Amino acid sequence: QIDKGRIAELAAKEEKRLNDSTTGSGRMYERAKKTMAGGVPSSYQVRDPWPIYLEEGKGSKVWDVDGNERIDYHNGFGSMVQGHAHPAIVKAVSERVAKGTHFAAPIEDSIVVSEALADRFGLPLWRYVNSGTEATMDAMRIARAYTGRDTVMKILGSYHGHHDYAMVCIGVPYDDLGDREDIQSLPYGAGIPKVVSDMTVAVPFNDAAAMERRIERLAEEGRLPACVIMEAAMMNLGVILPEPGYLEAVREITKKYGIVWIVDEVKTGLTVAPGGATEKFGLSPDMVTLAKALGGGLPCGGIGATEEVMEVVMNGSVYQVGTYNGNPLTMAAARASIEHVMTDDAYAHLNMLNDHLMKGCDAILEKYNLPGYTVGISSKGCVTFSEQKITDYESFMENLHGELTELAWLYAMNREIFMTPGREEEWTLSVQHTVEDADKHIAMFEEMAHDITA
Ligand code: PMP
């Protein structure tokens, strides 16, 4: 049994300590909020009483405006698997900057990147965009054009970016979702027309039979989905791995109904294996969406597809467009990352380090008898504070000890660990992280476990 009063007391103490050591961020916030809405460029960067403003990153570390040094496990919402200012990327981007940074005409680097991605993901044709949002938005449109259908299917609680078709059944009032077999299409936040959110239908993760039943019912209503868009392992409820056989069943079902299977690898692509979750789990999706780690720290996105599906782009029926698509700086960084940074050795290092970190945290959970377990793949992982194994959004909402997750964030931030805020996030390691970095993380975790149970 965890003592909630004790946790609240520790959280208040840690909160004060963090605020006392980040007064420079506090002053910056006062200035920022006069001209930037809420003092931040994106609402996901909001924090009460103020966000932590960063100044620099190098290797596995970042520094905030107060000069606090932290080991970065946030890594830009899971993008910086290369670590900050990796020499190979700095070199490639510096050389490119002096040769012109934008033409809206293709350059050779985009061909090299496509060749590598085709090889790694087993999908022959690629296009580029500037974010994960654009990637999933265009992928859905391509799937709709290819199938001539309007409805899209997603997983309850999965995040696929901030366009209207994706902002459905994520972060919504849990009690309003209705029956598990007939989940309501609720929009995430205001400004999303109901006619649009109604076109996105969610089903629970790790339940292929429920997916098929919903597809059958949609078929009866004359609205078979154009696509199923999903992550192979959910990366926004901590980490939730697919149960054995689940992904294979989804492939079968989508094939059976002529539905395009989009595996959203914005978080997993290039971070869990050279060919992302597609390689790791041996998948054969019709489309893959990439972003984050693809650009080595520059804004990017990519869409891979079979020749058959991409035909609707090549024959001009879908306009897959964008002024900054395939931007030279991004492509130079992506090429350098693929050729020189994210090598087989790099993945071996990430796997070793993640194992080390997970084992260390597991030992502490056991030693202090805390409710939780670790889960992860390659560079990604988390401690899930729950007595029960979490397999989908429902079990996450019902079992997660959110207050322990939040306390862990405060402990991390006050002990030189820069961690992704929020109950839903995981750590991302970089190729520049070391065993020493992981040990610091484990020591921080032990201190928290000790204080909770003292
Ligand atoms: N898909 C997934 C799986 C994501 O995790 C995210 C971002 N966290 C996105 C899409 C959207 O990417 P972006 O923030 O670059 O638009």
Side-chain angles (χ1 to χ4, degrees):
Q1 275 302 320
I2 52 162
D3 178 348
K4 292 209 171 185
R6 173 87 185 134
I7 289 167
E9 194 183 297
L10 288 171
K13 195 170 122 199
E14 292 296 324
E15 180 88 43
K16 180 172 183 317
R17 178 169 163 185
L18 182 59
N19 294 343
D20 288 349
S21 65
T22 58
T23 50
S25 278
R27 283 192 299 278
M28 207 162 261
Y29 173 63
E30 289 305 314
R31 176 180 156 202
K33 71 183 181 185
K34 290 183 188 138
T35 50
M36 248 193 309
V40 288
S42 157
S43 295
Y44 289 145
Q45 295 170 18
V46 166
R47 175 187 161 260
D48 190 34
W50 52 71
I52 311 296
Y53 292 82
L54 290 196
E55 198 159 82
E56 202 179 323
K58 195 158 179 48
S60 63
K61 306 222 168 64
V62 286
W63 288 265
D64 70 14
V65 293
D66 286 280
N68 296 306
E69 176 182 303
R70 298 187 183 90
I71 304 163
D72 192 1
Y73 289 87
H74 181 334
N75 269 317
F77 275 127
S79 301
M80 298 306 303
V81 73
Q82 300 86 355
H84 299 289
H86 191 289
I89 293 176
V90 170
K91 180 170 181 284
V93 171
S94 310
E95 284 173 7
R96 183 69 249 176
V97 115
K99 293 198 287 183
T101 59
H102 184 62
F103 312 118
I107 61 162
E108 190 188 1
D109 286 349
S110 56
I111 308 172
V112 175
V113 172
S114 301
E115 288 165 350
L117 295 179
D119 185 43
R120 287 176 171 214
F121 289 85
L123 287 168
L125 292 170
W126 290 81
R127 274 291 173 94
Y128 298 98
V129 287
N130 306 290
S131 68
T133 295
E134 289 182 43
T136 63
M137 181 176 73
D138 287 6
M140 284 186 195
R141 180 181 295 160
I142 290 167
R144 283 172 155 151
Y146 173 71
T147 56
R149 303 172 186 167
D150 291 339
T151 303
V152 298
M153 182 166 271
K154 73 182 285 284
I155 299 296
L156 176 60
S158 267
Y159 186 74
H160 298 289
H162 59 271
H163 58 90
D164 289 357
Y165 290 116
M167 291 271 251
V168 181
C169 288
I170 156 118
V172 294
Y174 180 59
D175 294 336
D176 297 347
L177 282 166
D179 193 86
R180 195 168 190 277
E181 290 289 316
D182 189 29
I183 295 162
Q184 299 302 296
S185 297
L186 303 180
Y188 176 32
I192 298 170
K194 187 167 182 310
V195 287
V196 177
S197 55
D198 279 349
M199 276 201 247
T200 301
V201 174
V203 292
F205 191 61
N206 267 328
D207 190 344
M211 176 183 282
E212 183 158 20
R213 285 193 295 274
R214 191 76 195 257
I215 290 171
E216 283 281 352
R217 285 206 307 285
L218 288 169
E220 283 162 21
E221 294 163 23
R223 45 183 305 226
L224 261 177
C227 61
V228 167
I229 184 164
M230 62 187 283
E231 293 184 281
M234 285 184 84
M235 288 283 164
N236 71 322
L237 302 177
V239 175
I240 303 180
L241 298 177
E243 292 295 312
Y246 171 62
L247 297 172
E248 292 74 10
V250 170
R251 176 66 286 189
E252 282 300 304
I253 294 164
T254 47
K255 255 206 185 112
K256 179 172 161 192
Y257 294 91
I259 296 168
V260 176
W261 189 28
I262 306 171
V263 175
D264 183 356
E265 296 233 38
V266 165
K267 270 192 169 170
T268 51
L270 300 131
T271 59
V272 304
T278 297
E279 175 187 328
K280 196 95 183 169
F281 298 111
L283 311 177
S284 51
D286 302 305
M287 299 185 88
V288 153
T289 47
L290 299 178
K292 297 200 193 246
L294 172 65
L298 279 92
C300 71
I303 305 156
T306 61
E307 284 193 24
E308 209 186 348
V309 169
M310 207 59 113
E311 180 59 25
V312 295
V313 173
M314 293 184 290
N315 69 19
S317 61
V318 169
Y319 297 103
Q320 194 286 315
V321 295
T323 299
Y324 272 91
N325 291 5
N327 170 261
L329 265 191
T330 299
M331 286 295 136
R335 178 178 180 169
S337 166
I338 284 169
E339 289 185 339
H340 305 300
V341 186
M342 300 315 294
T343 57
D344 288 345
D345 286 351
Y347 290 101
H349 177 69
L350 291 170
N351 291 339
M352 177 279 295
L353 214 53
N354 213 38
D355 269 4
H356 181 78
L357 183 51
M358 292 201 321
K359 278 199 187 104
C361 291
D362 271 332
I364 288 157
L365 288 166
E366 199 178 309
K367 179 172 167 193
Y368 293 88
N369 196 23
L370 284 176
Y373 59 93
T374 62
V375 54
I377 17 174
S378 196
S379 57
K380 305 266 186 188
C382 65
V383 172
T384 297
F385 291 104
S386 165
E387 276 95 359
Q388 314 295 327
K389 182 174 167 189
I390 287 174
T391 55
D392 60 6
Y393 189 67
E394 203 176 357
S395 49
F396 178 85
M397 292 301 285
E398 282 168 11
N399 295 304
L400 188 83
H401 292 290
E403 62 285 357
L404 274 177
T405 314
E406 277 159 19
L407 183 65
W409 184 80
L410 288 167
Y411 262 76
M413 292 296 285
N414 284 330
R415 287 159 191 81
E416 296 174 27
I417 309 277
F418 193 65
M419 182 55 91
T420 320
R423 296 177 171 197
E424 297 90 1
E425 291 293 336
E426 65 277 331
W427 67 63
T428 300
L429 304 176
S430 86
V431 302
Q432 299 191 67
H433 279 60
T434 61
V435 171
E436 197 191 346
D437 290 336
D439 285 341
K440 248 195 169 148
H441 192 131
I442 295 163
M444 172 280 291
F445 192 56
E446 174 143 33
E447 193 179 337
M448 180 176 100
H450 173 270
D451 291 353
I452 291 171
T453 52

